[in-house]
Amino acid sequence: MKYNLFFFALIYLASYSCTSTEEPAAEQVNTFGSKGDLKTILYNNDEVTADLGVGLWAWPLPMDYDDDGDIDMVVSCPDTPFKGTYLFENTSPDEEYPVFEPPVRIGNGSKNIQVSYVDGQPRVMLPGVEIVNFKTDNWEKKEIFSMDRIHGELPKKPRFDQCTYVDYDGDGDADIIIGVDNWFDYGWDNAYNDEGVWTNGPLHGYVYWMENVDGSYVHKGRIQVEGKDLDVYGAPSPSFADFDGDGDLDLICGEFVDKFTYFENIGSRNNPVYKKGQYLKNKGGIIHMDLEMILPVALDWNKDGHVDLIVGDEDGRVAYVKHSGQFEDGMPIFEDPYYFQQKSDLLKFGALVTPVSVDWDGDGDEDIIAGNSAGYISFIENLDGQYPPKWANPKRLEAGDEILRIQAGDNGSIQGPCEAKWGYTTLSVADWDMDGLLDLVVNSIWGKILWYKNIGSATAPKLAAAQPVKVDWGDSEPQLVDWNWWTPGPNELSTQWRTTPYAIDWNEDGMTDLIMLDHEGYLSYFERFKKGDQYMLAPGQRIFYANDISKYDSKNRVRDSIPGLLQLNVREHGGSGRVKLMVVDYDGDGAKDLLVNSENVNFLKNIKTENGKVYFENMGPLSDTKLAGHTTSPTTVDWNKDGRLDLLIGAEDGHFYYKENK
């Protein structure tokens, strides 16, 4: 079929509008084939447990949902394609670390959904709204106040509006506390100086108090600390409780990144006064979550009289941060995060998962090697080679005897230091040094192309520490000032961030080449050659053309519908890169085609080669199901061993989606 212009929805974090409270559909989600024309991949393995998780962004609502006396985990997920609110039932009421049941969908997914406890009962709020009848199939919205009263004080509408009930002033009624963030000083991207210092401002996170006066809510302004606005690094998620056991309400805030700030109440129950905030820490140092965009909820999980934290993470997991019952210098001491477990169900690896199907352990069946938004790379072992496969839990790979994890840190993301914990690993598996063993070629949030050499064996791979992929630039080394503040080392390959470095012997000369976006987003061919005793890449050649539509953005949406050089992303700075692709003869006609991320995956058919130029035609999406607000990542498999390459898609919800090629 011919390519048609179609419907991609640009969904950045700020653009989600997920406050619908229509009647929920009580739908079991662990059904093979439940996503339109795609099949969701199951563990098919009752012998393992998995991290409890939804898709991208977990908003935890811990409560006794089924009124059986224990605390279940209800989690809302606002993102495509796993959008919904899910019940993970607790069937082990006497265990502090239960293994929850697989998720059951109980309603629509919402951002900024919060639970608070009033008189021991959970009450669920959206911005300015309470959801009544939450434990039924008949959710109703009850407007409490207009958020314009808060938004009018900010230079732009916040991304996080977090409303909870709290008797803030101890007068016996439920006031409303509101946490908001402010990105105005931060801007968005491309604001580093030549030394890698961020020149825009920080994120801000403020907490407001609206006093309940005879059932009406009086705006009392921002909570103060030492005469100034309480201000944390974005998304404050304010949680009030008597954390130090002295009878008044203290405050713990989260942030957009990964830490918790404790504000001790040094006033009284009726007149709170807050001490300067300090990061929560224990004997291991400051407590960090594994990822970012953390969303804590205060709750005495183990009913020991000390209030714990239940925390959602960006990749859909939920953690238990236990109050130890101990104190140091007036601060409560919490344990490191424990990520809750569930019975194995849908196969998952983090968020924005980037799979490659390959026999990694040399046992004759197809395993999965995958990266994700957290910057890890894992081996997911196919345990039996049957159809459908039985999978082991993802095992994080090591390189140089350390867990392989690439992260942006303070200045590795073009979009600024708020993305410090992200890595966005995307990769190829190939014999890069032609020694007969499978290696990894990896790109990430940095845009640096790295090679991890296999120094083990074909059946027991072991990776050395990263080394750069080398290009013999000569006088043609590109200038990357519009993309990076830093300069690559001599002969090192750096390009647009978060885009697949596809390793393949393109010219079939026995040496592994590289097909990927160059620094300006054009699909390019980096030919391998031998120079002395080293294998090097030649500078990228723009040999790939479009027969119909040549210019796209990162979601394969058309930006210029004319023939010409194939530019898979025309955008710069934070909008650059992001393209996930595979080079493969998908239709079995002997020519190498392209599979490129889109709402699911688009098929760009190789239609001819003339005078060294390779021409493609965009045949459109391979599925009718929307999987992406950001990106997907394609690979091919032949699990059913029928000789045809089938499609496997890594989605931003961290799950895997499969379609047979018929």
Side-chain angles (χ1 to χ4, degrees), residues 34-152:
S34 64
K35 277 292 177 186
D37 57 343
L38 299 174
K39 296 180 179 180
T40 49
I41 302 304
L42 303 174
Y43 269 95
N44 293 314
N45 186 356
D46 295 334
E47 299 167 15
V48 299
T49 63
D51 289 339
L52 181 150
V54 291
L56 191 65
W57 304 322
W59 291 77
L61 309 168
M63 67 179 72
D64 183 3
Y65 183 83
D66 52 10
D67 295 320
D68 65 353
D70 54 38
I71 303 298
D72 307 301
M73 196 58 64
V74 177
V75 187
S76 190
C77 173
D79 187 51
T80 301
F82 206 71
K83 183 176 179 179
T85 297
Y86 296 89
L87 167 65
F88 296 82
E89 185 182 358
N90 183 352
T91 56
S92 304
D94 299 324
E95 295 185 17
E96 185 174 1
Y97 303 95
V99 176
F100 290 86
E101 294 296 311
V104 175
R105 192 177 191 273
I106 59 172
N108 293 308
S110 297
K111 178 186 172 187
N112 289 317
I113 190 168
Q114 298 280 109
V115 64
S116 45
Y117 281 80
V118 178
D119 298 326
Q121 295 301 311
R123 294 174 69 173
V124 177
M125 293 191 75
L126 295 166
V129 170
E130 182 174 358
I131 302 177
V132 295
N133 303 325
F134 183 79
K135 291 185 180 181
T136 73
D137 292 339
N138 187 29
W139 291 2
E140 297 177 11
K141 287 195 301 185
K142 177 183 177 182
E143 185 170 353
I144 307 299
F145 66 95
S146 172
M147 291 299 294
D148 291 342
R149 297 164 69 180
I150 304 299
H151 296 165

Side-chain angles (χ1 to χ4, degrees), residues 47-360:
E47 299 167 15
V48 299
T49 63
D51 289 339
L52 181 150
V54 291
L56 191 65
W57 304 322
W59 291 77
L61 309 168
M63 67 179 72
D64 183 3
Y65 183 83
D66 52 10
D67 295 320
D68 65 353
D70 54 38
I71 303 298
D72 307 301
M73 196 58 64
V74 177
V75 187
S76 190
C77 173
D79 187 51
T80 301
F82 206 71
K83 183 176 179 179
T85 297
Y86 296 89
L87 167 65
F88 296 82
E89 185 182 358
N90 183 352
T91 56
S92 304
D94 299 324
E95 295 185 17
E96 185 174 1
Y97 303 95
V99 176
F100 290 86
E101 294 296 311
V104 175
R105 192 177 191 273
I106 59 172
N108 293 308
S110 297
K111 178 186 172 187
N112 289 317
I113 190 168
Q114 298 280 109
V115 64
S116 45
Y117 281 80
V118 178
D119 298 326
Q121 295 301 311
R123 294 174 69 173
V124 177
M125 293 191 75
L126 295 166
V129 170
E130 182 174 358
I131 302 177
V132 295
N133 303 325
F134 183 79
K135 291 185 180 181
T136 73
D137 292 339
N138 187 29
W139 291 2
E140 297 177 11
K141 287 195 301 185
K142 177 183 177 182
E143 185 170 353
I144 307 299
F145 66 95
S146 172
M147 291 299 294
D148 291 342
R149 297 164 69 180
I150 304 299
H151 296 165
E153 300 181 8
L154 300 171
K156 61 188 300 185
K157 185 177 179 180
R159 299 181 176 200
F160 285 82
D161 279 320
Q162 302 167 302
C163 297
T164 52
Y165 287 115
V166 177
D167 182 7
Y168 178 75
D169 53 3
D171 64 356
D173 54 27
D175 308 306
I176 293 177
I177 296 295
I178 307 166
V180 301
D181 61 356
N182 180 0
W183 289 63
F184 184 76
D185 289 339
Y186 185 87
W188 186 244
D189 65 1
N190 196 35
Y192 295 108
N193 64 20
D194 292 343
E195 286 73 45
V197 176
W198 184 251
T199 59
N200 286 353
L203 299 184
H204 299 285
Y206 305 123
V207 180
Y208 291 84
W209 168 36
M210 299 192 73
E211 184 182 6
N212 186 340
V213 179
D214 299 326
S216 297
Y217 292 93
V218 178
H219 187 2
K220 304 294 284 190
R222 295 176 185 172
I223 290 176
Q224 302 292 294
V225 175
E226 297 185 348
K228 299 178 181 179
D229 293 336
L230 181 153
D231 190 1
V232 296
Y233 197 76
S237 304
S239 295
F240 285 87
D242 183 9
F243 291 106
D244 59 6
D246 65 357
D248 54 34
L249 294 185
D250 310 299
L251 171 61
I252 290 178
C253 285
E255 61 172 29
F256 189 81
V257 188
D258 66 347
K259 299 183 291 297
F260 308 92
T261 304
Y262 174 65
F263 298 91
E264 181 185 359
N265 184 352
I266 55 176
S268 67
R269 180 66 182 91
N270 301 102
N271 185 26
V273 177
Y274 292 98
K275 187 178 177 180
K276 183 179 179 180
Q278 302 178 71
Y279 289 133
L280 289 184
K281 60 184 179 180
N282 55 30
K283 63 182 180 181
I286 293 173
I287 297 172
H288 297 268
M289 292 292 289
D290 190 49
L291 244 176
E292 55 179 278
M293 294 180 67
I294 64 172
L295 298 165
V297 176
L299 179 76
D300 183 2
W301 172 259
N302 59 357
K303 301 178 183 177
D304 66 351
H306 301 290
V307 179
D308 312 298
L309 298 174
I310 305 300
V311 190
D313 229 335
E314 182 257 1
D315 61 2
R317 292 180 296 162
V318 178
Y320 170 33
V321 181
K322 180 180 178 178
H323 191 314
S324 69
Q326 300 177 7
F327 303 86
E328 185 174 321
D329 298 329
M331 284 188 64
I333 304 300
F334 287 79
E335 297 180 3
D336 289 337
Y338 163 82
Y339 284 87
F340 283 119
Q341 297 293 290
Q342 66 168 79
K343 294 180 180 178
S344 64
D345 183 46
L346 299 176
L347 187 66
K348 187 179 193 300
F349 179 52
L352 286 99
V353 63
T354 55
V356 173
S357 179
V358 63
D359 183 6
W360 180 248

Side-chain angles (χ1 to χ4, degrees), residues 424 426-428 432 441-451 469-471 473 480 492-504 506 513-527 537-544 566-569 577-583 594-596 616:
Y424 295 116
T426 179
L427 67 145
S428 284
W432 187 247
V441 180
V442 179
N443 193 8
S444 68
I445 198 166
W446 282 88
K448 299 177 180 181
I449 312 305
L450 302 175
W451 165 44
V469 167
K470 295 295 186 74
V471 180
W473 290 114
L480 304 180
E492 292 182 0
L493 178 57
S494 295
T495 185
Q496 295 192 0
W497 68 334
R498 301 165 59 175
T499 185
T500 310
Y502 198 80
I504 184 173
W506 174 262
D513 311 304
L514 199 62
I515 308 292
M516 66 179 306
L517 271 62
D518 67 15
H519 68 290
E520 293 181 328
Y522 289 93
L523 189 66
S524 296
Y525 165 44
F526 293 82
E527 184 179 3
L537 291 174
Q541 305 172 55
R542 296 175 178 175
I543 66 170
F544 303 110
L566 191 57
Q567 190 176 16
L568 288 177
N569 195 349
R578 303 173 184 262
V579 174
K580 312 301 190 300
L581 59 87
M582 183 181 191
V583 182
L594 294 174
L595 300 180
V596 181
F616 294 91

